[in-house]
């Protein structure tokens, strides 16, 4: 079980008090939702300092409904979380759902809030309990909870018992990764994607196998005590719209 | 007697129970979760099974309230959250959950009184640090300014509404 974060605690508190669709919850918090043709931000929160009154502004052109929903949840997180009231509250694409280690603390907290409110840990854990890791399973999580694929992938590794990790790479380098509690090997931000991985093939525009494949573990991880013949499973998917590839890695049968 | 004026029997009973438990076992603050689990196990009681039984009882009780169209007492809601199967929190986590719950309830209470609260504020001060952000285009700033203006006018309209109702 993962440690309860501040974001998750506030999400549970809100879900206890006001369960349901966030587009209905926001007005009850004193917030109106506006979609605008912005080009430089995904979401913004304009709020009064004195009273719970304000607006959540969402970029109209966000393509996926799941990402839009996640952005809305992220901004509600900013509205509720302590310490977020005196800060910059316009969130660019890299602020929302950017799960990297370098993301700002308040953005991470808002992401954790969004992850818990949209994908409650109890429900996700039940769904993944005996399931074999796969990108298809992550897709199911994203669909069931109406959220983005990357958020679902992050959440999966946040809660999974399997030795797995999700890697988001952009332009041939690791952008961010999330390891499950049992995946002990580091995955460094900025590290190049090795040839011989399916992620590298995806970057080259080659089709990705629909099922997970075994690859030498050394093509993804470097560790002194790593056996030469050690393998891990990889399933990668190209995301051309983001110039990125998402890869699920895991160790096991 | 209205619903609001009725004595809260649930809270009264819960207080009595807490007092009884304190007298028998001491203040709950004196033992932590791990110690409590050890004590239960030494008495051949499975802590998880006990938790699940409590949860089932509380759940049934909450459903009775709901079926009668009555509000589920806050303490019962809290107990349901604390005893949810699969959830085991350390003291720090419980404190964090309580803090979050208190903050959310306070905010919801304020949100319900929003028209009155807005009426008391002469000028709305919106956090608008976006105006100094270099990565935002002039179009983005204009769009956010428009939303801010809309909020200000909503506030003014709300205030007028309050006034006209007051004058009627």
């Amino acid at each position: 079980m993962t440690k309860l974060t501040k974001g998750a605690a506030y999400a549970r508190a809100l879900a206890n008090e006001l369960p349901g669709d966030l587009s209905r919850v926001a007005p009850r918090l004193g917030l109106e939702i506006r979609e605008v043709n912005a080009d430089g931000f995904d979401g913004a929160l304009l709020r009064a300092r004195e009273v719970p009154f304000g607006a959540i502004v969402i970029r109209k052109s966000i393509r996926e409904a799941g990402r839009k929903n996640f952005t809305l949840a992220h901004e509600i997180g900013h509205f509720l979380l302590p310490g977020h009231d005196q800060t910059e509250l316009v969130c660019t694409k890299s602020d929302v759902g950017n799960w990297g280690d370098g993301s700002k603390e308040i953005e991470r907290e808002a992401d954790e809030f969004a992850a818990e409110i949209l994908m409650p840990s109890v429900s996700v854990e039940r769904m993944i309990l005996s399931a074999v890791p796969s990108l298809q399973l992550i897709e199911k999580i994203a669909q069931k909870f109406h959220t983005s694929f990357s958020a679902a992938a992050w959440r999966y590794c946040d809660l999974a018992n399997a030795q797995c990790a999700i890697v988001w790479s952009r332009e041939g380098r690791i952008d961010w990764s999330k390891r499950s509690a049992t995946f002990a090997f580091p995955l460094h931000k900025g590290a190049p994607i090795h040839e011989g991985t399916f992620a590298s093939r995806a970057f080259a525009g080659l089709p990705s196998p629909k099922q997970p494949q075994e690859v030498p573990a050394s093509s993804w991880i470097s560790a002194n005590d790593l056996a030469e013949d050690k393998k891990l499973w990889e399933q990668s998917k190209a995301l051309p719209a983001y110039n990125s590839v998402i890869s699920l890695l895991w160790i096991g049968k | 007697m209205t619903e609001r004026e009725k004595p809260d029997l649930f809270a009264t009973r819960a207080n009595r129970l807490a007092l009884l438990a304190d007298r028998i076992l001491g203040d709950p603050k004196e033992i932590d979760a791990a110690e409590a689990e050890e004590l239960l196990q030494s008495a051949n009681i499975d802590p998880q099974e006990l938790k699940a039984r409590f949860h089932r009882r509380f759940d049934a009780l909450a459903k009775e309230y709901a079926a009668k169209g009555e509000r589920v007492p806050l303490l019962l809601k809290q107990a349901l959250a604390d005893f949810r199967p699969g959830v085991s929190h350390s003291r720090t986590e419980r404190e964090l959950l309580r803090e979050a719950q208190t903050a959310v309830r306070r905010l919801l209470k304020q949100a319900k009184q929003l028209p009155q609260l807005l009426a008391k504020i002469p000028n709305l001060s919106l956090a608008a640090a976006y105006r100094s952000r270099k990565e935002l285009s002039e179009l983005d700033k204009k769009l956010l300014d428009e939303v801010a203006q809309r909020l200000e006018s909503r506030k003014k309209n709300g205030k007028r509404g309050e006034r006209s109702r007051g004058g009627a």
Side-chain angles (χ1 to χ4, degrees):
Chain A
M1 186 181 296
T2 54
K3 192 176 165 286
L4 182 75
T5 61
K6 186 157 75 162
Y10 275 74
R12 284 186 199 170
L14 179 63
N16 271 346
E17 297 299 317
L18 280 184
D21 188 334
L22 289 179
S23 60
R24 290 169 194 269
V25 166
R28 294 185 63 185
L29 293 168
L31 295 169
E32 65 173 53
I33 303 167
R34 306 276 295 164
E35 285 199 18
V36 300
N37 291 311
D39 49 24
F41 66 89
D42 269 15
L45 172 67
L46 299 188
R47 67 191 302 174
R49 290 195 195 280
E50 309 86 348
V51 286
F53 179 66
I56 287 176
V57 192
I58 308 275
R59 180 162 63 87
K60 199 184 262 181
S61 57
I62 295 177
R63 275 168 298 204
E64 308 95 331
R67 170 123 191 131
K68 218 174 243 189
N69 212 19
F70 193 85
T71 306
L72 171 62
H74 177 101
E75 298 305 328
I76 293 178
H78 278 318
F79 184 67
L80 288 178
L81 285 160
H84 291 222
D85 48 345
Q86 298 296 323
T87 57
E88 180 60 66
L89 294 160
V90 178
C91 305
T92 61
K93 193 185 260 186
S94 65
D95 290 329
V96 182
N98 175 6
W99 306 99
D101 294 337
S103 62
K104 288 177 266 177
E105 192 183 350
I106 62 157
E107 298 304 339
R108 188 177 41 75
E109 282 180 355
D111 278 344
E112 284 163 354
F113 172 91
E116 178 65 29
I117 198 107
L118 294 174
M119 300 172 275
S121 50
V122 175
S123 310
V124 178
E125 277 167 347
R126 203 178 297 139
M127 201 171 159
I128 66 178
L129 196 62
S130 52
V132 176
S134 72
L135 291 180
Q136 287 87 340
L137 176 62
I138 289 170
E139 185 65 53
K140 271 189 200 163
I141 297 171
Q143 281 173 6
K144 183 176 164 73
F145 298 101
H146 308 289
T147 187
S148 66
F149 187 78
S150 59
W154 186 93
R155 190 63 165 155
Y156 174 73
C157 288
D158 186 35
L159 299 171
N161 288 324
Q163 285 187 70
C164 61
I166 198 81
V167 181
W168 181 284
S169 31
R170 195 189 302 270
E171 293 166 356
R173 288 182 180 274
I174 295 179
D175 193 19
W176 60 262
S177 63
K178 170 72 184 171
R179 296 175 292 152
S180 71
T182 52
F183 190 97
F185 303 100
L187 294 157
H188 299 290
K189 182 181 165 75
I193 298 298
H194 285 215
E195 278 183 32
T197 62
F198 286 92
S200 151
R201 287 168 55 100
F203 274 118
L206 297 168
S208 302
K210 291 216 164 47
Q211 297 305 319
Q213 305 291 324
E214 267 193 321
V215 294
S218 58
S219 58
W220 277 102
I221 51 187
S222 54
N224 292 337
D225 53 350
L226 191 69
E228 216 169 277
D229 58 348
K230 179 92 175 165
K231 304 261 188 196
L232 57 74
W233 293 94
E234 177 192 344
Q235 191 178 11
S236 288
K237 180 184 172 184
L239 303 163
Y242 296 97
N243 214 1
S244 301
V245 170
I246 196 160
S247 308
L248 176 65
L249 313 176
W250 77 98
I251 298 165
K253 287 175 189 169
Chain B
M1 189 184 282
T2 64
E3 184 64 32
R4 201 174 280 273
E5 287 164 340
K6 278 185 195 170
D8 187 349
L9 289 177
F10 186 87
T12 313
R13 270 189 240 152
N15 284 339
R16 257 192 244 153
L17 197 63
L19 192 66
L20 185 66
D22 282 3
R23 283 186 183 158
I24 298 170
L25 303 165
D27 191 328
K29 284 176 192 155
E30 286 167 15
I31 59 167
D32 62 17
E35 204 181 332
E37 284 195 10
E38 266 177 42
L39 279 170
L40 288 169
Q41 276 157 351
S42 64
N44 279 333
I45 299 170
D46 179 352
Q48 293 310 316
E49 173 54 25
L50 184 65
K51 224 177 116 181
R53 283 179 65 180
F54 269 120
H55 187 268
R56 284 196 294 273
R57 290 282 298 274
F58 291 146
D59 191 47
L61 196 54
K63 281 177 182 148
E64 279 176 29
Y65 275 95
K68 282 189 251 170
E70 290 175 12
R71 281 182 58 180
V72 177
L74 287 182
L75 272 173
L76 182 54
K77 274 191 187 176
Q78 183 66 56
L80 271 169
D82 285 352
F83 285 84
R84 195 169 51 161
V87 177
S88 167
H89 299 296
S90 66
R91 182 173 294 162
T92 327
E93 289 185 341
R94 280 201 302 273
E95 278 164 12
L96 183 58
L97 275 169
R98 292 233 159 87
E99 174 202 303
Q101 213 138 31
T102 309
V104 168
R105 281 180 191 150
R106 194 187 310 125
L107 192 132
L108 284 169
K109 198 175 163 191
Q110 284 186 320
K112 276 185 188 161
Q113 300 162 343
L114 192 56
Q116 295 91 314
L117 292 173
L118 282 175
K120 286 181 195 161
I121 302 166
N123 291 306
L124 206 59
S125 53
L126 291 165
Y130 61 85
R131 291 193 184 108
S132 58
R133 278 188 72 154
K134 285 177 190 155
E135 67 267 40
L136 289 183
S137 65
E138 286 309 308
L139 169 75
D140 285 345
K141 286 178 192 172
K142 189 170 159 270
L143 288 168
L144 292 171
D145 279 344
E146 280 169 10
V147 176
Q149 278 162 14
R150 195 184 133 88
L151 284 174
E152 276 157 13
S153 92
R154 256 187 69 200
K155 189 252 172 213
K156 279 177 197 155
N157 291 339
K159 205 171 158 186
R160 270 203 295 273
E162 285 293 307
R163 272 185 193 157
S164 61
R165 271 202 295 277

